Amino acid sequence: MGENVKVIVRCRPMNQKEISNKCDTVVESGAYEVTVLNPSARNAPRKSFTFDNVYDGLSKSETIYNDMCYSLVESTLEGYNGTIFAYGQTGCGKTHTMQGDSNLMNEPSKGIIQQCFDHIFETISMATNVRYLALVSYLEIYNENIRDLLIIDEPVTTSKNPVNHLLKDVPGVGITVPTLTTQAVVNAKECYNWLRIGNKNRITAATLMNEKSSRSHTIFTINLEQIQGSTPTHPMLGGIRRGKLNLVDLAGSERQCKTGTFGERLREATKINLSLSALGNVISALVDGKKKHVPYRDSKLTRLLQDSLGGNTKTIMISCISPADVNYDETLSTLRYASRAKCISNLPKINEDPKDAKLRQYQEEILELKRLLVESQQQGNSESTDDNYRQQQRRLYEETLKMPQQMTEKSKRQVSAHEIDRNLNKNSQLEGEDFQLQVQKRVDIIKHVLIGGERVNDLQLKERHRMRKLEAKRIAHALSRIVSEDRDLLQGHYSSIQQEINIKNDHIKRCAQKIKMLEREVADLNSEFQLDREDYLEEIRNLGRNLKFYQILLHKAQPILRKSGKNW
């Protein structure tokens, strides 16, 4: 059964600059509705939009998470794919919503991403008969290039981008970046650390609208592989499921006349706007049932979000807007995008028995290691000195002892690659006891990255988790009841003919009002298109003037350069 993208709106409070400029508020928010006033024509009809939930400037990220995101993350722990992404104009609070303040460990300042970390690992710690493997990655789309933000030994500058990771469409998996660094994590603290490392590598810059404007889109991904029916003593038994959670912080759309960007910043803004425009085209194509082609390939962003928009994913879109009258056009544009996104239908399903699961590789490796242990013990008992057997034993040992890229720092300290090389170089042939010890260490390393059930006896944590889950179910039930009531009316469940006449007359009135609203929206869109066109034309004129200036400067400087060249 299909499930629509859930869309919520968050309106930030006035910032200091807007207060000092004495800007008026043009946004009014209710429980599920946002109304926008036209500041240039006070008598113009108000524009109203209905969403799954609406939050004003006093709302906290924790409230948004408990109301809307909690159930989605619970689904990810069950094996579904999930995506939460923030969209909106630059300076409207997207990064604040997703990542909170810079002090990540401060409870009131936590964003959606940090609360996902806490929720996931709390739930895993209470799991019974389930073992999890948690893998994280963090990428950035900068100027249509994909950068790995978890590379800590190779810093990347804004002017030079040494690595552009390529996308790959893997059957049964979807669009992936196979060369991306993936790290295994065993608790929320390690996730905080990797997020902090990635944010240090992220590209930001100051503009007139935002002192620390994001110049790129970022996607923090948590892959949760789980083995059903497993215990800490027998962790590799049962079937495998895999859930994936994408946490997306988009760069903001921006106009050059407002941000005052030029040079490198202007080029970044152009790429950002093009990718967001491609995202808007994908949303429009998915909503318009007449279009068979969806332009996912128009940008790297839409390719990576392909499964989140119209695919096998539960998706939440957080639309961030500004209440100030100077941002009226951008606010209206964001609300239109969000309103269209509500109509996108996804088909989420549990990912059962994925063929490329890392847990499956660990299962096979543990079986191979156990076989080697048995053979080693048997060989030791018979006191055989067969060189061919020892060479085969060493080869298999080296293959199974390769350190995976996903190993945690704690695990690496237990058996470091340097220590393994030193031991292998010291002895040309592995002794039976050393071999058994190293193989057992390898098995322990694999078991260490499998987590689950550490706090299964914490009754207080279980009760808190149960109450939060019940509240999330209550909110989801309330939303579904509203939808079902509308569906019943459309299907014609009436108690009398008079009730049917009244309801259908009301429906006709609402349709007439909707037609008028759509006609006004078409006129507004034409006006908005004209503004965008003028903005781009002005940008082209500026670039043309700069080009002409440099051509004249080069022409004037050529005789001097030639003369200087002769003197040399």
Side-chain angles (χ1 to χ4, degrees):
M1 183 177 177
E3 177 179 311
N4 281 18
V5 172
K6 290 184 173 60
V7 180
I8 62 179
V9 172
R10 188 182 196 184
C11 181
R12 65 161 172 79
M14 287 270 196
N15 59 34
Q16 195 58 44
K17 184 177 179 181
E18 291 165 347
I19 293 173
S20 61
N21 291 336
K22 298 181 179 179
C23 296
D24 293 330
T25 300
V26 295
V27 175
E28 295 178 358
S29 58
Y32 302 102
E33 190 176 67
V34 177
T35 302
V36 186
L37 311 175
N38 191 337
S40 59
R42 291 292 180 180
N43 295 327
R46 299 182 176 190
K47 294 179 174 60
S48 297
F49 302 87
T50 304
F51 299 100
D52 293 293
N53 226 326
V54 177
Y55 299 90
D56 58 20
L58 300 177
S59 62
K60 295 182 178 180
S61 297
E62 184 181 2
T63 305
I64 297 174
Y65 184 85
N66 291 335
D67 289 352
M68 303 301 299
C69 304
Y70 191 89
S71 57
L72 182 141
V73 176
E74 281 287 307
S75 299
T76 305
L77 288 157
E78 295 169 2
Y80 288 94
N81 293 336
T83 295
I84 303 172
F85 73 97
Y87 176 88
Q89 176 195 10
T90 185
C92 281
K94 297 182 300 300
T95 301
H96 174 77
T97 298
M98 295 303 294
Q99 302 195 23
D101 295 332
S102 57
N103 185 9
L104 298 179
M105 300 305 292
N106 185 15
E107 186 71 29
S109 68
K110 287 184 179 181
I112 299 296
I113 295 179
Q114 290 83 18
Q115 293 181 73
C116 286
F117 296 161
D118 295 341
H119 178 186
I120 286 171
F121 288 96
E122 273 191 3
T123 306
I124 288 175
S125 69
M126 295 183 294
T128 55
N129 297 327
V130 183
R131 299 288 283 173
Y132 286 87
L133 173 65
L135 306 169
V136 300
S137 62
Y138 198 11
L139 66 84
E140 174 182 60
I141 306 174
Y142 173 71
N143 284 344
E144 280 301 293
N145 291 327
I146 297 176
R147 294 179 51 217
D148 188 348
L149 294 179
L150 297 188
I151 297 179
I152 55 179
D153 56 347
E154 185 181 335
V156 182
T157 62
T158 54
S159 58
K160 295 182 180 180
N161 190 12
V163 179
N164 176 25
H165 296 267
L166 300 178
L167 296 170
K168 187 176 182 181
D169 192 352
V170 180
V173 178
I175 306 299
T176 61
V177 186
T179 56
L180 212 60
T181 302
T182 306
Q183 301 289 348
V185 290
V186 296
N187 53 46
K189 186 177 180 180
E190 290 188 3
C191 289
Y192 281 112
N193 291 334
W194 286 120
L195 180 64
R196 188 179 293 108
I197 289 170
N199 287 339
K200 286 181 180 178
N201 294 329
R202 188 178 182 183
I203 295 171
T204 60
T207 67
L208 294 180
M209 293 189 69
N210 194 349
E211 292 181 359
K212 199 174 181 181
S213 174
S214 302
R215 313 310 295 164
S216 62
H217 313 296
T218 61
I219 303 177
F220 192 100
T221 303
I222 307 174
N223 280 291
L224 296 170
E225 297 181 6
Q226 58 179 282
I227 299 182
Q228 302 289 326
S230 299
T231 63
T233 54
H234 298 86
M236 304 302 288
L237 301 174
I240 298 175
R241 289 182 179 179
R242 178 173 61 196
K244 182 174 71 172
L245 179 61
N246 291 319
L247 301 166
V248 187
D249 181 12
L250 299 179
S253 59
E254 53 188 50
R255 295 183 185 274
Q256 192 271 339
C257 59
K258 286 188 175 183
T259 57
T261 54
F262 59 89
E264 185 70 17
R265 300 286 87 80
L266 179 59
R267 190 165 73 92
E268 293 167 354
T270 302
K271 292 289 186 180
I272 291 169
N273 288 339
L274 285 174
S275 61
L276 292 176
S277 176
L279 178 61
N281 293 336
V282 166
I283 292 173
S284 298
L286 288 170
V287 173
D288 187 0
K290 297 179 181 178
K291 293 185 179 180
K292 295 182 180 180
H293 172 68
V294 181
Y296 289 115
R297 293 181 177 270
D298 285 358
S299 76
K300 299 284 180 66
L301 175 65
T302 51
R303 287 279 280 164
L304 287 168
L305 294 180
Q306 181 170 339
D307 209 34
S308 303
L309 300 171
N312 172 29
T313 305
K314 295 188 175 188
T315 303
I316 292 177
M317 175 181 181
I318 304 176
S319 301
C320 300
I321 60 174
S322 163
D325 54 0
V326 293
N327 297 319
Y328 169 78
D329 292 328
E330 290 81 2
T331 296
L332 199 58
S333 177
T334 299
L335 292 174
R336 287 199 186 102
Y337 272 118
S339 185
R340 284 199 291 269
K342 274 197 318 176
C343 302
I344 297 175
S345 180
N346 291 347
L347 295 170
K349 62 180 181 180
I350 293 177
N351 301 301
E352 298 271 9
D353 199 27
K355 293 181 174 54
D356 63 331
K358 192 67 183 176
L359 281 174
R360 190 183 307 280
Q361 299 175 27
Y362 283 160
Q363 278 181 324
E364 295 171 356
E365 186 174 350
I366 284 181
L367 291 174
E368 181 66 20
L369 289 169
K370 287 182 177 179
R371 186 183 69 80
L372 288 174
L373 277 174
V374 172
E375 290 182 0
S376 176
Q377 291 170 355
Q378 292 175 350
Q379 189 71 14
N381 294 333
S382 62
E383 295 182 354
S384 172
T385 57
D386 185 10
D387 291 339
N388 292 331
Y389 171 78
R390 287 184 176 274
Q391 289 178 3
Q392 182 184 11
Q393 187 185 58
R394 176 178 174 137
R395 178 179 57 79
L396 290 172
Y397 172 71
E398 289 175 346
E399 289 178 358
T400 56
L401 214 57
K402 289 178 180 177
M403 298 299 290
Q405 187 180 12
Q406 297 85 356
M407 200 57 59
T408 62
E409 293 299 322
K410 183 176 178 182
S411 300
K412 288 180 181 179
R413 286 196 296 271
Q414 291 178 358
V415 182
S416 67
H418 177 70
E419 181 185 353
I420 294 168
D421 292 338
R422 188 175 67 238
N423 291 336
L424 289 176
N425 293 331
K426 184 176 179 180
N427 300 310
S428 59
Q429 294 179 340
L430 292 170
E431 298 295 335
E433 292 182 1
D434 291 340
F435 173 74
Q436 293 174 20
L437 179 62
Q438 296 289 0
V439 169
Q440 188 58 50
K441 283 185 178 180
R442 175 59 178 166
V443 173
D444 292 340
I445 287 173
I446 295 176
K447 288 183 178 180
H448 170 75
V449 296
L450 300 179
I451 53 178
E454 294 82 9
R455 301 175 65 181
V456 70
N457 296 322
D458 191 335
L459 299 180
Q460 187 176 0
L461 178 62
K462 279 189 173 183
E463 180 62 20
R464 187 170 76 244
H465 180 75
R466 188 182 71 83
M467 294 303 295
R468 290 182 69 185
K469 197 169 184 178
L470 287 174
E471 181 64 16
K473 284 184 178 180
R474 185 190 65 78
I475 293 170
H477 180 68
L479 290 173
S480 63
R481 188 173 67 249
I482 293 171
V483 174
S484 64
E485 287 175 358
D486 293 340
R487 189 184 296 117
D488 288 342
L489 290 175
L490 290 174
Q491 289 176 350
H493 297 285
Y494 310 111
S495 59
S496 65
I497 295 176
Q498 187 62 41
Q499 183 194 24
E500 181 180 358
I501 292 171
N502 293 336
I503 290 176
K504 289 189 174 179
N505 283 335
D506 292 339
H507 183 65
I508 290 170
K509 290 179 182 178
R510 286 197 300 270
C511 287
Q513 291 174 354
K514 191 173 182 180
I515 290 171
K516 290 181 181 179
M517 186 181 69
L518 290 173
E519 288 174 348
R520 289 196 298 268
E521 187 173 346
V522 169
D524 290 340
L525 288 172
N526 288 331
S527 176
E528 186 178 331
F529 170 76
Q530 189 63 27
L531 287 173
D532 288 338
R533 182 172 178 274
E534 291 174 359
D535 198 33
Y536 285 126
L537 286 174
E538 183 62 28
E539 188 177 320
I540 292 170
R541 293 189 194 100
N542 288 334
L543 293 173
R545 283 194 290 267
N546 290 337
L547 178 62
K548 191 172 182 180
F549 169 75
Y550 288 124
Q551 287 175 340
I552 294 172
L553 182 64
L554 183 61
H555 179 72
K556 297 287 186 182
Q558 274 181 349
I560 301 172
L561 294 174
R562 290 197 188 99
K563 187 176 180 181
S564 300
K566 288 179 181 178
N567 292 335
W568 290 343

